[in-house]
Amino acid sequence: MNIELIPAIDIINGKCVRLTKGDYAQKTVYNDDPVEVAREFERLGFHRLHVVDLDGAKSKHIVNDAVLRQIASATGLVVDFGGGIKTDEDIEKAFRAGASMVTIGSIAVTAPERFSEWLCKYGADRIILGADVRNGMVSINGWKEDSDRALLPFLRYYVEQGVKNVLCTEISKDGTLAGPAIELYREVMHEYPQIHLIASGGVSSNEDIDALDKARIPAVVFGKAFYEGRIDVNRLMRSSRHVGKGAGLAKRIIPCLDVKDGQTVKGTNFVNLRQAGDPVELGKAYSNAGADELVFLDITASHEGRKTFTEMVTRVARELNIPFTVGGGINTVEDVERLLYAGADKVSVNSAALRRPELINEITTRFGSQVCVVAIDARQEEDGSWHCYLNGGRVPTERTLFEWAKEAEERGAGEILFTSMNHDGVKTGYANEALARLSDELSIPVIASGGAGTKEHFRDAFRKGKADAALAASVFHFGEIKISELKEYLQSENITVRR
């Protein structure tokens, strides 16, 4: 499956709701806490979220920006936000609150010059054209009014202006669970194959999403079908090989904390360890500094026991509001269960999976692909080949990097964390050639690790290495690179990151 999967949260009075055909009188409240819902979407493995401020759409100005801020702070999801955006101040408010993209509908109809100015000012990667359709005509102001603009000419005007992303909602289908307007979306894609079209309205089942995928619709938004249990998320995730690879997704910055005896350490080429602080305090600091996720690796778990590390995971979970992955000495499904129960969002398996690849299947069958990160430590040999290593890079194997990564994906891994042994700790840059090959050959996200020394190294990992995320340790731990400054730099290089 190639379609991008985007769950939706619609907000009224700070609550997660769904309407039927845009009718505020036909409102169902599904959860009083949208942040809790967003966390669940992230836990299930989704990487992007569509948030609609229905109060804002009705009031013609943003109302629920505080909820947006809470969602953005509590998750690593890439959030696009719409509803009530009428002014520059509204857009700036949405971006300050944590939106990566904004969806704009009514203004594109009523004030096209203003929309075109925003497209130029903020860039086509951050502006989504909202095209809400009823009887072939574009609707405005929270679907309460029909304009005199027919859909295809309306789109043509903005595609010529440089629009890349279009969210098209068939109002008569929205909230009805009657199936999506596939023929409408096919017509749009036939006319404008260059756009990233997001289909919205009517999705009722996995089969509806499969049908959209077969019709080669790039992306789909769904809400009510999920909330009412009509979508089998595990089956959806297993069939989707492009979760996290969709257009417009932000690159993630991930500090890594290697833990030994309850303290964070970092060495060069996995030796010469030195203390770098308390992992809980460092985790809190990174969360406050804008890190998208964290990784905690117990580098001596297989030698010194796991009780101290598990206790640390519990303390970390109490203090952090961003996702974190834990790894080190995970050999069984029971180990995974223990760490997830302690509060971890994901687990990273390395040596145990290499020794017994079935472990990946066991983890993903029980907990889902989204929790399983397969870490691969590999070294490039003199003949140019890349070989995998066990036990923190101490024991060579015959397995090669690319064939093992592909097998891990086929067994259900949700992400690959690739560390180059040649580059780790020496701060000369990531193994970008190998990263690019991994990214090209795999459909799941690839995390770059090993070699970060400058901001430019992160840029190259994303641009040359095509990585979905970049992990680093000492440059963050000792203040050599500040995450906020790194993100500002990457944005200046036209690399999309979460603010």
Side-chain angles (χ1 to χ4, degrees), residues 61-108:
H61 63 85
I62 288 180
V63 174
N64 287 294
D65 55 301
V67 179
L68 169 62
R69 183 175 294 106
Q70 292 167 358
I71 290 173
S73 297
T75 74
L77 295 167
V78 175
V79 181
D80 67 76
F81 181 83
I85 295 176
K86 306 293 184 185
T87 66
D88 291 77
E89 290 74 20
D90 288 327
I91 294 180
E92 295 292 343
K93 182 184 288 188
F95 285 151
R96 285 196 303 271
S100 295
M101 293 165 277
V102 292
T103 300
I104 301 168
S106 298
I107 287 296

Short mmCIF file of all heavy atoms in Angstrom, two decimals, residues 61-108:
data_model
loop_
_atom_site.label_atom_id
_atom_site.label_comp_id
_atom_site.label_asym_id
_atom_site.label_seq_id
_atom_site.Cartn_x
_atom_site.Cartn_y
_atom_site.Cartn_z
N HIS A 61 -12.11 32.65 12.99
CA HIS A 61 -10.77 32.93 13.53
C HIS A 61 -10.37 31.73 14.39
O HIS A 61 -11.23 31.00 14.88
CB HIS A 61 -10.75 34.22 14.35
CG HIS A 61 -11.62 34.18 15.57
ND1 HIS A 61 -11.21 33.66 16.77
CD2 HIS A 61 -12.91 34.58 15.75
CE1 HIS A 61 -12.19 33.75 17.65
NE2 HIS A 61 -13.24 34.29 17.07
N ILE A 62 -9.08 31.51 14.55
CA ILE A 62 -8.61 30.35 15.31
C ILE A 62 -9.11 30.45 16.76
O ILE A 62 -9.00 31.49 17.40
CB ILE A 62 -7.08 30.26 15.28
CG1 ILE A 62 -6.60 29.83 13.89
CG2 ILE A 62 -6.57 29.25 16.30
CD1 ILE A 62 -5.11 29.72 13.76
N VAL A 63 -9.62 29.33 17.26
CA VAL A 63 -10.13 29.26 18.62
C VAL A 63 -9.33 28.28 19.47
O VAL A 63 -8.99 28.57 20.61
CB VAL A 63 -11.62 28.86 18.64
CG1 VAL A 63 -12.12 28.65 20.07
CG2 VAL A 63 -12.47 29.91 17.93
N ASN A 64 -8.99 27.12 18.89
CA ASN A 64 -8.41 26.03 19.67
C ASN A 64 -6.91 25.89 19.48
O ASN A 64 -6.38 24.77 19.43
CB ASN A 64 -9.11 24.71 19.31
CG ASN A 64 -10.52 24.63 19.90
OD1 ASN A 64 -10.68 24.57 21.11
ND2 ASN A 64 -11.52 24.64 19.04
N ASP A 65 -6.21 27.01 19.41
CA ASP A 65 -4.76 26.94 19.27
C ASP A 65 -4.09 26.35 20.51
O ASP A 65 -3.03 25.74 20.41
CB ASP A 65 -4.17 28.31 18.94
CG ASP A 65 -4.55 29.38 19.95
OD1 ASP A 65 -5.76 29.62 20.11
OD2 ASP A 65 -3.65 29.98 20.56
N ALA A 66 -4.70 26.51 21.67
CA ALA A 66 -4.13 25.93 22.89
C ALA A 66 -4.12 24.41 22.80
O ALA A 66 -3.16 23.75 23.23
CB ALA A 66 -4.91 26.39 24.11
N VAL A 67 -5.17 23.83 22.24
CA VAL A 67 -5.22 22.39 22.07
C VAL A 67 -4.16 21.94 21.08
O VAL A 67 -3.48 20.92 21.28
CB VAL A 67 -6.62 21.93 21.60
CG1 VAL A 67 -6.66 20.42 21.41
CG2 VAL A 67 -7.69 22.36 22.59
N LEU A 68 -4.01 22.69 19.99
CA LEU A 68 -2.95 22.40 19.02
C LEU A 68 -1.59 22.40 19.70
O LEU A 68 -0.76 21.51 19.47
CB LEU A 68 -2.99 23.42 17.89
CG LEU A 68 -1.80 23.42 16.93
CD1 LEU A 68 -1.68 22.09 16.19
CD2 LEU A 68 -1.93 24.57 15.93
N ARG A 69 -1.34 23.40 20.54
CA ARG A 69 -0.05 23.49 21.22
C ARG A 69 0.18 22.27 22.12
O ARG A 69 1.29 21.72 22.18
CB ARG A 69 0.01 24.77 22.04
CG ARG A 69 1.35 25.01 22.74
CD ARG A 69 1.40 26.35 23.44
NE ARG A 69 1.36 27.44 22.47
CZ ARG A 69 0.30 28.22 22.24
NH1 ARG A 69 -0.81 28.02 22.92
NH2 ARG A 69 0.34 29.18 21.36
N GLN A 70 -0.86 21.84 22.81
CA GLN A 70 -0.73 20.68 23.68
C GLN A 70 -0.43 19.41 22.88
O GLN A 70 0.40 18.60 23.28
CB GLN A 70 -2.02 20.50 24.48
CG GLN A 70 -2.26 21.60 25.51
CD GLN A 70 -3.68 21.57 26.06
OE1 GLN A 70 -4.51 20.76 25.66
NE2 GLN A 70 -3.97 22.47 27.00
N ILE A 71 -1.10 19.25 21.74
CA ILE A 71 -0.86 18.07 20.90
C ILE A 71 0.57 18.09 20.36
O ILE A 71 1.28 17.07 20.39
CB ILE A 71 -1.87 18.02 19.73
CG1 ILE A 71 -3.27 17.69 20.25
CG2 ILE A 71 -1.44 17.00 18.67
CD1 ILE A 71 -4.35 17.80 19.20
N ALA A 72 1.01 19.25 19.88
CA ALA A 72 2.36 19.36 19.33
C ALA A 72 3.43 19.12 20.39
O ALA A 72 4.48 18.54 20.10
CB ALA A 72 2.54 20.73 18.68
N SER A 73 3.16 19.56 21.62
CA SER A 73 4.13 19.37 22.70
C SER A 73 4.16 17.93 23.20
O SER A 73 5.20 17.44 23.61
CB SER A 73 3.78 20.30 23.88
OG SER A 73 3.87 21.65 23.50
N ALA A 74 3.01 17.26 23.15
CA ALA A 74 2.90 15.93 23.74
C ALA A 74 3.27 14.81 22.77
O ALA A 74 3.44 13.67 23.20
CB ALA A 74 1.48 15.71 24.26
N THR A 75 3.37 15.11 21.48
CA THR A 75 3.65 14.07 20.49
C THR A 75 4.74 14.52 19.53
O THR A 75 5.09 15.70 19.47
CB THR A 75 2.39 13.72 19.67
OG1 THR A 75 2.12 14.77 18.74
CG2 THR A 75 1.19 13.49 20.56
N GLY A 76 5.22 13.58 18.75
CA GLY A 76 6.15 13.88 17.66
C GLY A 76 5.47 13.87 16.31
O GLY A 76 6.13 13.82 15.28
N LEU A 77 4.14 13.94 16.31
CA LEU A 77 3.39 13.89 15.06
C LEU A 77 3.59 15.16 14.23
O LEU A 77 3.73 16.26 14.78
CB LEU A 77 1.89 13.73 15.36
CG LEU A 77 1.47 12.41 16.02
CD1 LEU A 77 0.05 12.53 16.54
CD2 LEU A 77 1.59 11.26 15.04
N VAL A 78 3.58 15.00 12.93
CA VAL A 78 3.55 16.14 12.02
C VAL A 78 2.08 16.56 11.89
O VAL A 78 1.25 15.79 11.43
CB VAL A 78 4.12 15.77 10.64
CG1 VAL A 78 3.98 16.93 9.67
CG2 VAL A 78 5.58 15.37 10.78
N VAL A 79 1.78 17.76 12.34
CA VAL A 79 0.39 18.20 12.41
C VAL A 79 0.11 19.23 11.33
O VAL A 79 0.83 20.22 11.20
CB VAL A 79 0.08 18.82 13.79
CG1 VAL A 79 -1.38 19.26 13.86
CG2 VAL A 79 0.38 17.81 14.90
N ASP A 80 -0.97 18.97 10.54
CA ASP A 80 -1.50 20.04 9.70
C ASP A 80 -2.81 20.52 10.34
O ASP A 80 -3.58 19.72 10.85
CB ASP A 80 -1.67 19.61 8.25
CG ASP A 80 -2.74 18.55 8.05
OD1 ASP A 80 -3.92 18.91 8.08
OD2 ASP A 80 -2.39 17.38 7.82
N PHE A 81 -3.01 21.82 10.32
CA PHE A 81 -4.07 22.45 11.11
C PHE A 81 -4.92 23.33 10.23
O PHE A 81 -4.40 24.11 9.43
CB PHE A 81 -3.43 23.27 12.23
CG PHE A 81 -4.41 23.97 13.14
CD1 PHE A 81 -5.00 23.29 14.19
CD2 PHE A 81 -4.73 25.31 12.94
CE1 PHE A 81 -5.90 23.94 15.03
CE2 PHE A 81 -5.62 25.96 13.77
CZ PHE A 81 -6.22 25.27 14.82
N GLY A 82 -6.23 23.24 10.40
CA GLY A 82 -7.14 24.08 9.63
C GLY A 82 -8.34 24.46 10.46
O GLY A 82 -8.62 23.89 11.50
N GLY A 83 -9.06 25.47 9.94
CA GLY A 83 -10.27 25.94 10.62
C GLY A 83 -10.11 27.36 11.13
O GLY A 83 -9.36 27.59 12.08
N GLY A 84 -10.76 28.30 10.48
CA GLY A 84 -10.76 29.68 10.97
C GLY A 84 -9.55 30.50 10.62
O GLY A 84 -9.33 31.57 11.20
N ILE A 85 -8.74 30.04 9.67
CA ILE A 85 -7.54 30.79 9.30
C ILE A 85 -7.92 31.83 8.25
O ILE A 85 -8.25 31.51 7.11
CB ILE A 85 -6.45 29.86 8.76
CG1 ILE A 85 -5.99 28.92 9.88
CG2 ILE A 85 -5.27 30.65 8.20
CD1 ILE A 85 -4.97 27.89 9.45
N LYS A 86 -7.90 33.09 8.67
CA LYS A 86 -8.33 34.19 7.81
C LYS A 86 -7.28 35.27 7.64
O LYS A 86 -7.37 36.10 6.73
CB LYS A 86 -9.60 34.85 8.39
CG LYS A 86 -10.75 33.89 8.68
CD LYS A 86 -11.33 33.30 7.41
CE LYS A 86 -12.54 32.43 7.71
NZ LYS A 86 -13.07 31.75 6.51
N THR A 87 -6.28 35.30 8.54
CA THR A 87 -5.30 36.39 8.53
C THR A 87 -3.88 35.85 8.68
O THR A 87 -3.68 34.68 9.06
CB THR A 87 -5.57 37.37 9.69
OG1 THR A 87 -5.35 36.67 10.94
CG2 THR A 87 -7.01 37.90 9.64
N ASP A 88 -2.90 36.74 8.43
CA ASP A 88 -1.51 36.38 8.68
C ASP A 88 -1.31 36.00 10.14
O ASP A 88 -0.54 35.08 10.45
CB ASP A 88 -0.58 37.55 8.33
CG ASP A 88 -0.52 37.83 6.84
OD1 ASP A 88 -1.48 38.42 6.31
OD2 ASP A 88 0.46 37.44 6.21
N GLU A 89 -1.99 36.72 11.03
CA GLU A 89 -1.86 36.44 12.45
C GLU A 89 -2.34 35.03 12.78
O GLU A 89 -1.75 34.34 13.64
CB GLU A 89 -2.64 37.47 13.27
CG GLU A 89 -2.06 38.88 13.26
CD GLU A 89 -2.27 39.60 11.94
OE1 GLU A 89 -3.18 39.18 11.17
OE2 GLU A 89 -1.54 40.56 11.67
N ASP A 90 -3.40 34.58 12.12
CA ASP A 90 -3.89 33.22 12.34
C ASP A 90 -2.84 32.19 11.93
O ASP A 90 -2.62 31.20 12.63
CB ASP A 90 -5.18 32.98 11.55
CG ASP A 90 -6.38 33.71 12.12
OD1 ASP A 90 -6.45 33.86 13.36
OD2 ASP A 90 -7.25 34.12 11.33
N ILE A 91 -2.22 32.41 10.78
CA ILE A 91 -1.19 31.47 10.31
C ILE A 91 -0.02 31.45 11.28
O ILE A 91 0.47 30.38 11.67
CB ILE A 91 -0.72 31.83 8.89
CG1 ILE A 91 -1.85 31.64 7.89
CG2 ILE A 91 0.48 30.97 8.50
CD1 ILE A 91 -1.48 31.97 6.47
N GLU A 92 0.44 32.61 11.67
CA GLU A 92 1.57 32.68 12.60
C GLU A 92 1.22 32.02 13.92
O GLU A 92 2.04 31.32 14.53
CB GLU A 92 1.98 34.14 12.82
CG GLU A 92 2.52 34.85 11.59
CD GLU A 92 3.87 34.29 11.15
OE1 GLU A 92 4.53 33.60 11.94
OE2 GLU A 92 4.26 34.56 10.00
N LYS A 93 -0.02 32.22 14.39
CA LYS A 93 -0.46 31.59 15.63
C LYS A 93 -0.43 30.07 15.51
O LYS A 93 0.00 29.37 16.42
CB LYS A 93 -1.88 32.07 15.98
CG LYS A 93 -2.40 31.50 17.30
CD LYS A 93 -3.84 31.93 17.55
CE LYS A 93 -3.94 33.39 17.91
NZ LYS A 93 -5.32 33.75 18.34
N ALA A 94 -0.90 29.55 14.38
CA ALA A 94 -0.89 28.10 14.16
C ALA A 94 0.53 27.55 14.13
O ALA A 94 0.82 26.51 14.76
CB ALA A 94 -1.63 27.76 12.87
N PHE A 95 1.42 28.23 13.44
CA PHE A 95 2.81 27.76 13.38
C PHE A 95 3.47 27.85 14.75
O PHE A 95 4.20 26.94 15.16
CB PHE A 95 3.60 28.56 12.35
CG PHE A 95 3.29 28.22 10.92
CD1 PHE A 95 3.42 29.17 9.91
CD2 PHE A 95 2.85 26.95 10.57
CE1 PHE A 95 3.14 28.85 8.59
CE2 PHE A 95 2.57 26.62 9.25
CZ PHE A 95 2.72 27.58 8.26
N ARG A 96 3.22 28.93 15.49
CA ARG A 96 3.79 29.05 16.84
C ARG A 96 3.28 27.94 17.75
O ARG A 96 3.99 27.49 18.66
CB ARG A 96 3.48 30.42 17.44
CG ARG A 96 4.28 31.57 16.88
CD ARG A 96 4.21 32.79 17.79
NE ARG A 96 2.85 33.22 18.01
CZ ARG A 96 2.19 34.10 17.24
NH1 ARG A 96 2.80 34.62 16.19
NH2 ARG A 96 0.95 34.45 17.52
N ALA A 97 2.04 27.52 17.54
CA ALA A 97 1.45 26.49 18.38
C ALA A 97 1.94 25.09 18.02
O ALA A 97 1.64 24.14 18.73
CB ALA A 97 -0.07 26.55 18.29
N GLY A 98 2.67 24.96 16.92
CA GLY A 98 3.27 23.68 16.59
C GLY A 98 2.84 23.04 15.29
O GLY A 98 3.28 21.94 14.96
N ALA A 99 1.97 23.71 14.52
CA ALA A 99 1.58 23.15 13.23
C ALA A 99 2.76 23.17 12.27
O ALA A 99 3.52 24.14 12.22
CB ALA A 99 0.42 23.95 12.64
N SER A 100 2.91 22.09 11.51
CA SER A 100 3.92 22.06 10.46
C SER A 100 3.37 22.60 9.15
O SER A 100 4.11 23.11 8.33
CB SER A 100 4.42 20.62 10.24
OG SER A 100 5.08 20.14 11.38
N MET A 101 2.05 22.44 8.96
CA MET A 101 1.36 22.91 7.77
C MET A 101 0.00 23.47 8.19
O MET A 101 -0.53 23.10 9.24
CB MET A 101 1.16 21.78 6.76
CG MET A 101 2.45 21.24 6.16
SD MET A 101 2.20 19.64 5.32
CE MET A 101 2.31 18.52 6.71
N VAL A 102 -0.56 24.35 7.38
CA VAL A 102 -1.91 24.85 7.63
C VAL A 102 -2.77 24.59 6.40
O VAL A 102 -2.29 24.66 5.27
CB VAL A 102 -1.93 26.35 7.98
CG1 VAL A 102 -1.26 26.60 9.33
CG2 VAL A 102 -1.27 27.18 6.90
N THR A 103 -4.03 24.27 6.66
CA THR A 103 -5.00 24.06 5.59
C THR A 103 -5.89 25.29 5.49
O THR A 103 -6.49 25.70 6.49
CB THR A 103 -5.86 22.81 5.86
OG1 THR A 103 -5.00 21.68 5.95
CG2 THR A 103 -6.87 22.60 4.75
N ILE A 104 -5.97 25.85 4.30
CA ILE A 104 -6.72 27.09 4.08
C ILE A 104 -7.73 26.86 2.98
O ILE A 104 -7.37 26.45 1.87
CB ILE A 104 -5.77 28.25 3.73
CG1 ILE A 104 -4.76 28.46 4.86
CG2 ILE A 104 -6.56 29.53 3.45
CD1 ILE A 104 -3.62 29.37 4.50
N GLY A 105 -9.00 27.12 3.28
CA GLY A 105 -10.07 26.89 2.32
C GLY A 105 -10.79 28.14 1.89
O GLY A 105 -10.64 28.62 0.77
N SER A 106 -11.58 28.72 2.79
CA SER A 106 -12.46 29.83 2.43
C SER A 106 -11.72 31.01 1.82
O SER A 106 -12.17 31.59 0.83
CB SER A 106 -13.25 30.28 3.66
OG SER A 106 -14.08 29.24 4.14
N ILE A 107 -10.59 31.37 2.41
CA ILE A 107 -9.85 32.53 1.92
C ILE A 107 -9.40 32.31 0.47
O ILE A 107 -9.33 33.27 -0.32
CB ILE A 107 -8.64 32.83 2.82
CG1 ILE A 107 -9.11 33.43 4.14
CG2 ILE A 107 -7.65 33.75 2.15
CD1 ILE A 107 -9.79 34.77 4.02
N ALA A 108 -9.09 31.06 0.11
CA ALA A 108 -8.69 30.79 -1.27
C ALA A 108 -9.82 31.12 -2.25
O ALA A 108 -9.56 31.39 -3.43
CB ALA A 108 -8.28 29.32 -1.42
#
